Amino acid sequence: VWIELGLQTIHPATSSFIRSGFTLECFQTTVDMLHHYRIPVIVHVILGLPGESKEQMLETVSHVGNLGIFGIKLQLLHILSDTDLGSLYLTEPFPLLTHDAYCELVVDCIERLPQTITIHRLTGDGPKNLLLAPLWSSAKRSVLNQIEHTLKKRDTWQGKCYHDKE
């Protein structure tokens, strides 16, 4: 048994934009309570949220890496039809991660996560009938293959750049 918490980001402006409904402090209190009861925690993070820089996304992943959690799910932002974000994207398109940039970013994230954290997801795929963008994300096998290739090309691994906060 474990509990999955959808943090998505540690940045207040982005949390407000996506209407997460809770603060980072509330999230931390919940993680602390679950640790107290020895309930494993998996944290969900979305990469590519509107307005977030690569540095901000890596700050989120580094923060999560220092929480003493059981697992993490990394997820590419999907723009889906019939959502507020989908409507915004259609009227005021904003930059999205490219296939290459996403795969490089995921490898950067993997390097920053301690080896004690189980990575439960490296990407996901939105429902094809609802997916507006990025369309390349529907080729999940291609994404996973490129992540594996990037790890090998960079001769890197989970935890290579992990720095504990203590």
Side-chain angles (χ1 to χ4, degrees), residues 62-133:
S62 293
H63 180 84
V64 170
N66 284 314
L67 291 174
I69 60 165
F70 168 65
I72 188 169
K73 290 184 177 182
L74 300 174
Q75 171 70 45
L76 170 69
L77 174 71
H78 291 114
I79 309 298
L80 303 178
S81 61
D82 299 323
T83 65
D84 290 347
L85 193 60
S87 297
L88 176 64
Y89 183 76
L90 290 174
T91 58
E92 300 174 42
F94 45 86
L96 299 175
L97 292 170
T98 65
H99 183 273
D100 291 343
Y102 182 75
C103 293
E104 290 287 337
L105 177 61
V106 167
V107 171
D108 291 338
C109 293
I110 292 169
E111 289 177 327
R112 286 162 175 77
L113 291 170
Q115 293 180 347
T116 55
I117 291 180
T118 300
I119 301 172
H120 291 253
R121 179 185 298 152
L122 294 173
T123 190
D125 44 355
K128 289 183 185 348
N129 62 326
L130 300 177
L131 184 64
L132 295 174

Side-chain angles (χ1 to χ4, degrees), residues 27-42:
F27 170 84
Q28 185 63 56
T29 299
T30 303
V31 170
D32 292 344
M33 179 188 64
L34 292 168
H35 284 332
H36 173 77
Y37 290 108
R38 293 184 170 85
I39 299 172
V41 176
I42 298 173

